Amino acid sequence: MNDFFELESDLKKLRPVRTSPELMTAIERSLALESEVTPTAGLLPRSRKFRVNWIPLGLGVAAAAGFLILARLEVNETPQKQPALAAISPVPARVAQNTAAGDLLPSGMTRVIYNRQDEGLHFTEGARRPVRRVRTETQETLHWRNPSTGASLRVSYPREEVTLIPVSGQ
């Protein structure tokens, strides 16, 4: 432990050496010359030029053209829309009078489309042109009614329809 106390006392006795007046005048002269000659420490501001980076620009134009081509292919000849709900027509009066007590007469039909899916282009054997295949899944409900007693009957059944639409390339 005595070594640390001795070292500490030796360090407290140390003092920095005074600088020579020649060194101070040389430093002052060099600082004065540098401030007059190079105010920016040798770094000159460079002007930035606008440059077009052609690779991303070309890729963006190619992607936009591809998107437009694909969008155009999807818009060709879409299937005609069918009404989702058929109109319910009333039973004619003369039919209602001529029916027996247990006879049911058709009074309406309801068709609900659950899913319509375009399955794309298909080439059938022997056909000259491609066809677009559209699959439609529906549920149909038929209504029967007895006009004299007011009794009614409803029957529902699922239906799947596949429609082939000819595609023209023009």
Side-chain angles (χ1 to χ4, degrees), residues 29-42 44:
R29 254 187 273 131
S30 65
L31 286 175
L33 285 175
E34 286 182 14
S35 64
E36 292 174 4
V37 176
T38 56
T40 60
L44 297 176

Side-chain angles (χ1 to χ4, degrees), residues 29-164:
R29 254 187 273 131
S30 65
L31 286 175
L33 285 175
E34 286 182 14
S35 64
E36 292 174 4
V37 176
T38 56
T40 60
L43 298 175
L44 297 176
R46 294 186 182 187
S47 61
R48 291 189 145 212
K49 294 180 181 178
F50 177 73
R51 291 187 174 190
V52 177
N53 197 349
W54 291 103
I55 293 174
L57 183 63
L59 290 174
V61 169
F67 175 73
L68 289 175
I69 289 172
L70 290 176
R72 176 68 182 139
L73 289 177
E74 292 296 322
V75 178
N76 290 346
E77 294 186 36
T78 57
Q80 296 177 353
K81 293 187 176 182
Q82 299 174 351
L85 178 64
I88 299 174
S89 57
V91 178
R94 62 181 158 78
V95 174
Q97 292 171 354
N98 294 338
T99 60
D103 289 345
L104 293 172
L105 298 175
S107 62
M109 182 184 114
T110 305
R111 176 183 289 164
V112 179
I113 299 174
Y114 287 106
N115 186 19
R116 176 173 281 166
Q117 182 179 3
D118 186 355
E119 295 181 346
L121 293 177
H122 291 277
F123 296 91
T124 58
E125 293 181 21
R128 293 183 187 174
R129 297 190 304 187
V131 293
R132 183 176 296 272
R133 186 160 69 178
V134 178
R135 185 177 305 271
T136 307
E137 295 174 8
T138 61
Q139 172 129 8
E140 292 185 355
T141 304
L142 298 172
H143 306 269
W144 285 281
R145 188 171 165 264
N146 187 332
S148 59
T149 63
S152 65
L153 175 69
R154 290 184 185 189
V155 176
S156 297
Y157 60 94
R159 180 175 175 179
E160 184 177 43
E161 210 176 283
V162 177
T163 308
L164 300 176

